[in-house]
Amino acid sequence: KSPTRQSRNMIDTEAEAPSTGAGETSSAAAAVVVVGAGFGGLEAAKHLGKAGIGVTLIDRRNHHLFQPLLYQVATASLATSEIAWPIRYLLRGRKEVTTLFANVSGVDAAGKRVLLDDGDALPYDTLVLATGARHAYFGHDEWEPFAPGLKTLEDATTLRRRILVAFERAERETDPAKRAALLTFVIIGAGPTGVEMAGTIADLAKDTLPPDFRNIDTHKTRVVLVEAGPRVLAGFPEDLSAYAQ
């Protein structure tokens, strides 16, 4: 069932988890503590709760994100509210599950406590870490300001702004070389997200934007997909990989 418009508006993509009193420790241990409300964490919380097990779900954001569609937000095809839903809304029917908005800073395995960045601690009997993954720069984190990844809503809106602003700047640019550079987009990694991003930027330039500009021909947009491996979509069967390429 899709969330209502009001529930979607309760998503806050900017807020940090609040402090709740440094040094305090919850008095009652939950049977299970799940860290992370992505696909794995949410499913674990739902199924454990359904089995009658008390669960505390902790996430540093107040929304669950459908990551496979982030590329569509990044290319202005979808709004952020269409791929993110409040965690509390998704779990409102699971009375066994308690949701906490907090940042986890560490785990005290010996003491069976989840440590929060405000100094609080949450005891557990069983701990599930479902924090997901983030993009990597192979030891070159200085590349990140120039080449953002695509794992969060903030990443998607940053990319969307950069893509659309590039077309706007190209519209005003009189130097042909600089204009061509503004209309060139390089994507590193030809997995599903990279391939989808490349194809959607190409569609944006060839189908959506041409009527909107007067000084540039968006058909001349160049999309470069860089992959270190021998083929795109390496995790898929070779015939599908060849079709995509």
Side-chain angles (χ1 to χ4, degrees):
K1 180 181 178 181
S2 298
T4 62
R5 182 179 298 275
Q6 183 179 8
S7 70
R8 287 182 178 182
N9 289 340
M10 293 170 66
I11 295 170
D12 187 345
T13 62
E14 301 293 337
E16 292 293 330
S19 173
T20 57
E24 297 178 2
T25 303
S26 302
S27 58
V32 177
V33 171
V34 178
V35 180
F39 291 121
L42 197 62
E43 284 300 301
K46 283 183 175 180
H47 286 283
L48 289 169
K50 191 175 181 180
I53 299 171
V55 178
T56 298
L57 177 64
I58 308 173
D59 200 280
R60 62 182 178 178
R61 291 182 171 84
N62 74 340
H63 59 273
H64 169 74
L65 178 64
F66 191 79
Q67 283 192 340
L69 290 181
L70 273 173
Y71 78 96
Q72 292 204 30
V73 173
T75 52
S77 300
L78 291 176
T80 56
S81 60
E82 294 181 272
I83 67 166
W85 299 271
I87 298 167
R88 293 187 184 279
Y89 179 88
L90 296 174
L91 294 171
R92 59 167 47 176
R94 295 260 63 91
K95 303 301 183 183
E96 308 86 353
V97 181
T98 298
T99 301
L100 297 182
F101 179 40
N103 288 308
V104 174
S105 60
V107 176
D108 173 9
K112 285 199 164 188
R113 299 185 308 155
V114 173
L115 308 178
L116 307 182
D117 67 353
D118 58 11
D120 200 358
L122 187 70
Y124 64 84
D125 294 328
T126 301
L127 177 63
V128 178
L129 294 178
T131 53
R134 70 184 306 273
H135 46 274
Y137 292 91
F138 306 101
H140 292 278
D141 290 346
E142 68 274 14
W143 295 347
E144 186 166 12
F146 309 101
L150 188 56
K151 291 290 187 183
T152 67
L153 284 179
E154 294 86 352
D155 292 337
T157 54
T158 295
L159 284 170
R160 179 176 65 191
R161 182 172 61 253
R162 291 192 183 190
I163 291 168
L164 296 179
V165 167
F167 285 104
E168 295 293 345
R169 289 178 176 170
E171 175 80 350
R172 297 181 57 192
E173 182 57 62
T174 56
D175 183 281
K178 292 181 179 179
R179 177 183 287 176
L182 287 166
L183 294 177
T184 300
F185 300 89
V186 179
I187 300 164
I188 300 175
T193 299
V195 169
E196 288 165 338
M197 274 292 292
T200 308
I201 292 174
D203 288 342
L204 185 70
K206 297 181 186 305
D207 300 328
T208 306
L209 296 181
D212 299 343
F213 290 88
R214 303 294 177 264
N215 298 322
I216 59 172
D217 179 3
T218 61
H219 290 93
K220 294 181 179 179
T221 298
R222 187 165 172 250
V223 181
V224 181
L225 183 60
V226 179
E227 170 56 45
R231 59 189 178 94
V232 303
L233 298 177
F236 287 75
E238 289 191 16
D239 58 332
L240 295 179
S241 175
Y243 178 80
Q245 189 161 335

